[in-house]
Amino acid sequence: MPRRNPRQGRVQRRKTGPNGRRDAFRCVGCRLDVPFSAPGTAHRNHCPHCLTSLHLDDRTPGDRRAGCRGRMAPLSLTVRPDGEWMLIHHCLSCGELSVNRIAGDDNALVLLRIAMRPLYGARLRAGMQKVG
């Protein structure tokens, strides 16, 4: 039996806000909608839930000049001399590294997991040395 309305389906979500500008983006990692506004930074460039980003910026934040447009995975954290945490992203397409400010609403548990990775690896290596 043929369908009565083959073209009728779900309505697409709005891609622009009430003022005509885009007010959110969809994360390539966890597929959640992420608002552009972020506490602590003027240019949100990563998802606050999974910390995944897209390779969009080339030289300066917000320039949107990178040709790669690859997925950037959170690799590590670094701390500036003033105590601010910075997130190091690794592009899975071109291999470039970039350093980004964390935002005030970033998932603290995910940030701590990334910060603990080197310690966990050292603990595993120490345990293997005792066995051998």
Side-chain angles (χ1 to χ4, degrees), residues 7-43:
R7 292 286 178 196
Q8 189 176 13
R10 282 189 339 192
V11 178
Q12 280 189 328
R13 68 183 178 92
R14 286 178 30 185
K15 293 180 178 59
T16 59
N19 56 1
R21 292 186 354 210
R22 291 185 61 189
D23 57 350
F25 64 91
R26 174 120 342 142
C27 174
V28 295
C30 64
R31 307 298 297 159
L32 292 175
D33 288 332
V34 178
F36 278 125
S37 61
T41 183
H43 302 282

Side-chain angles (χ1 to χ4, degrees), residues 83-98:
E84 181 182 17
W85 283 25
M86 304 290 284
L87 188 60
I88 300 173
H89 279 110
H90 175 247
C91 181
L92 300 178
S93 294
C94 68
E96 186 176 326
L97 295 176
S98 73

Side-chain angles (χ1 to χ4, degrees), residues 89-128:
H89 279 110
H90 175 247
C91 181
L92 300 178
S93 294
C94 68
E96 186 176 326
L97 295 176
S98 73
V99 180
N100 302 300
R101 297 175 68 183
I102 65 167
D105 61 348
D106 285 348
N107 188 334
L109 181 61
V110 177
L111 286 170
L112 287 175
R113 280 186 185 158
I114 292 171
M116 296 298 291
R117 277 184 198 161
L119 298 174
Y120 182 71
R123 183 175 172 193
L124 284 178
R125 285 190 298 276
M128 284 190 273

